[in-house]
Amino acid sequence: MTDLAAERRSLLAHLRDTEAEQIALLQAFLRAPSANPPGDTRPAAAVLERFLAERGLAPRIHAARPELPNIVATCAGTRPGGHLVFNGHMDVFPPNDANGWSGELRDGRLYGRGAADMKAGTAASTIAFAALARIAPALAGRVTLTAVSDEETGGRWGTRYLFETLGETVKGDVCLNGEPSGINNIRFMEKGTLRMTVAVRTKGAHGGYPHLSPSAIKLACAIVTAFEGLHGFQPALPEAVARALADPAVIAAHDAGLGQGASAVVRQVVFNAGVIAGGSKVNVLPDRCTLHCEFRYPFGLDRAAMEANVRRILARFPEASLAIDEDHSYPPSFADPADPMVAILADVVERDLGKPRPVPCCSLGGSDSRYWRWAGVPAFLYGPSPVTMGQADEHVTVEEFLHVAKAHALAAFDWLAARAAA
């Protein structure tokens, strides 16, 4: 009979003994360009493929387009059990500073575009998967790794493509994702998004003749003001969500990890006028203006309700037309914060890794975890700090990166053991 306690100790010892290899993997991953746009992740995928192949893990590539590979790898235990899936993405924002693709290690931090969002988390899940594969004979059930492209532009050719083509192979029974969350919390919920383009068209005229045509820019500004009227609305939340978000520890974790006021924002509809462009010359009354904007909305509202609110407002502006960005418009997603994985992961962080016990929180941004939640599979985010993602000095601390790899591996091990016992 397998001595699970001994195998668990072996797993943790291996992760501690190979920390230099783990750092080298993340450095190589950071040095591999994978900006989206344009979205080509082949150099980054090659880094993870090589790491897995060198350990005999036979990663498979599933791609709808050659430049958008998705890596899938699976290891199976020797007994029936549950199916845990790791998910992370390889595409990142375009770099905006000299750190770019440096992968520089300086003062205990690893720098480069995607260090926080989310190459550290994806590398950590890859490391956890490989460590679990070493002890596969001791496991019940199976573990699957999915490292995908296209997350930053909606997932049409990434996780969504895998769900459409592989189905149960990647669905699993629970999903862990290393998106930047902060190690003091476990993300169980994400807002929905309605992203759109509003185009305003008028006759236009000379700037001295405002009686001949309305200004497209002024109309666009009036639309922004009307949309802003929905900002801050708080719908009624499902009981489990409301109870979790009302916990004082959860309120404190939101404000500490996401900035003061985040604990209120997670309950609210928020509006962002991201890009507004119009006009041709200072003394010409603008005949066109384009507004790119989005709403993010919590449980208690759905896509149909949000779109109805938008169309109701735009009905007052006959000069405006609406185009919805379908790849970036989707409903909220939710996993029960009382799911066993939350307690398992929190126990690992507190008991085994000596960190404060993380609490369940809501994300302010989106992730591919929604695909699992929509399929009825609980999915949770646990990754490094989100503070520097998208910034000029994007980085992750070595300590947090190594911590996340251990947390993912040990939580997966404990979840598989619990499912086998059940």
Side-chain angles (χ1 to χ4, degrees):
M1 183 175 179
T2 301
D3 185 342
L4 287 179
E7 293 291 355
R8 194 177 189 277
R9 289 192 298 271
S10 171
L11 174 65
L12 182 55
H14 170 74
L15 289 165
R16 287 172 172 160
D17 290 344
T18 58
E19 288 181 350
E21 293 177 18
Q22 296 167 38
I23 294 168
L25 171 64
L26 180 53
Q27 284 186 291
F29 198 27
L30 288 169
R31 289 168 180 156
S34 57
N36 190 0
D40 189 339
T41 60
R42 285 174 290 189
V47 173
L48 299 186
E49 282 185 87
R50 183 166 57 251
F51 177 85
L52 294 167
E54 286 173 351
R55 287 152 182 79
L57 297 177
R60 304 181 306 281
I61 296 295
H62 297 270
R65 298 179 178 177
E67 74 278 14
L68 301 175
N70 301 299
I71 298 173
V72 178
T74 298
C75 70
T78 54
R79 294 167 290 144
H83 181 192
L84 181 141
V85 180
F86 290 117
N87 173 253
H89 64 85
M90 300 179 287
D91 58 322
V92 301
F93 295 149
N96 59 352
D97 70 342
N99 286 323
W101 313 111
S102 73
E104 178 186 4
L105 175 58
R106 172 166 36 97
D107 299 326
R109 294 174 170 82
L110 282 160
Y111 287 81
R113 176 53 81 230
D117 183 20
M118 68 165 292
K119 286 190 173 181
T122 302
S125 289
T126 302
I127 290 160
F129 172 80
L132 290 163
R134 288 181 68 255
I135 58 170
L139 301 178
R142 57 187 167 132
V143 183
T144 295
L145 172 70
T146 58
V148 302
S149 300
D150 196 42
E151 191 273 348
E152 298 290 0
T153 43
R156 174 66 186 87
W157 308 115
T159 295
R160 179 176 158 190
Y161 175 76
L162 292 183
F163 265 78
E164 290 173 348
T165 58
L166 298 183
E168 294 296 323
T169 300
V170 297
K171 179 181 174 183
D173 301 312
V174 72
C175 177
L176 273 183
N177 182 302
E179 284 273 14
S181 61
I183 64 172
N184 71 333
N185 68 87
I186 300 166
R187 306 284 179 88
F188 70 96
M189 183 175 72
E190 295 170 9
K191 289 182 171 182
T193 298
L194 182 65
R195 189 170 297 182
M196 57 202 170
T197 299
V198 177
V200 181
R201 299 289 181 264
T202 63
K203 287 171 57 179
H206 187 284
Y209 293 73
H211 56 292
L212 296 182
S213 173
S215 162
I217 289 179
K218 285 185 178 180
L219 287 173
C221 290
I223 291 169
V224 168
T225 300
F227 283 168
E228 187 69 16
L230 299 175
H231 184 97
F233 175 70
Q234 297 188 50
L237 299 172
E239 182 181 351
V241 175
R243 185 171 58 251
L245 297 183
D247 186 323
V250 173
I251 292 172
H254 276 116
D255 290 341
L258 300 173
Q260 193 64 35
S263 58
V265 170
V266 297
R267 305 166 178 269
Q268 299 173 347
V269 173
V270 296
F271 170 70
N272 179 48
V275 178
I276 186 167
S280 59
K281 197 169 182 287
V282 67
N283 62 339
V284 173
L285 203 68
D287 67 341
R288 61 190 56 221
C289 187
T290 302
L291 170 66
H292 301 280
C293 57
E294 68 174 12
F295 285 95
R296 293 181 185 263
Y297 54 97
F299 271 89
L301 289 174
D302 58 21
R303 159 75 183 270
M306 279 306 308
E307 189 171 333
N309 283 325
V310 167
R311 293 189 182 278
R312 173 178 52 80
I313 289 170
L314 290 180
R316 309 200 312 254
F317 300 90
E319 302 87 352
S321 62
L322 175 68
I324 302 293
D325 182 345
E326 294 296 341
D327 284 342
H328 288 277
S329 297
Y330 45 79
S333 66
F334 162 77
D336 189 347
D339 186 88
M341 175 53 85
V342 175
I344 288 170
L345 184 51
D347 285 344
V348 164
V349 171
E350 181 180 40
R351 179 192 63 219
D352 296 293
L353 303 180
K355 300 293 184 183
R357 189 175 185 84
V359 296
C361 287
C362 174
S363 297
L364 295 183
S367 80
D368 279 352
S369 293
R370 65 184 183 272
Y371 289 101
W372 277 268
R373 294 175 187 146
W374 292 339
V377 176
F380 303 97
L381 308 186
Y382 188 75
S385 170
V387 171
T388 67
M389 63 180 183
Q391 295 184 0
D393 65 343
E394 186 171 357
H395 63 267
V396 63
T397 67
V398 170
E399 179 183 8
E400 282 198 349
F401 163 58
L402 297 174
H403 167 86
V404 172
K406 294 181 181 70
H408 280 207
L410 291 173
F413 181 95
D414 290 350
W415 183 88
L416 291 167
R419 284 295 292 256

